[in-house]
Amino acid sequence: MDKMKVTYEAMLGLAAEMVLDDAVQKFRLERINQAIDKALAAGDEDTFLRLANELNSIRPTS
């Protein structure tokens, strides 16, 4: 019985970590997209290229 409880708690912890990781990634993607929009509006090509590269490096592959 104790082994099942430990396993359940471990699985619950992994699920919580996955939810948190997903939320953090969505937040980062949104912030980068906003910064890209600002760079485009300002005509700042260097910042746009840097942010676009960063976005491509963290964007999920699906």
Side-chain angles (χ1 to χ4, degrees):
M1 188 69 160
D2 288 332
K3 187 175 181 180
M4 279 182 58
K5 184 178 178 183
V6 169
T7 302
Y8 175 74
E9 288 175 355
M11 294 299 289
L12 202 57
L14 287 173
E17 187 175 341
M18 289 172 62
V19 169
L20 182 60
D21 287 346
D22 186 55
V24 168
Q25 183 174 23
K26 286 179 181 176
F27 177 78
R28 287 182 66 203
L29 290 171
E30 181 63 30
R31 293 291 293 245
I32 292 171
N33 279 321
Q34 289 173 354
I36 286 173
D37 289 345
K38 280 181 144 179
L40 284 171
D44 186 349
E45 184 178 354
D46 291 334
T47 300
F48 167 77
L49 292 173
R50 180 181 56 78
L51 291 168
N53 286 331
E54 184 177 345
L55 181 64
N56 288 331
S57 72
I58 66 169
R59 184 179 297 164
T61 56
S62 30

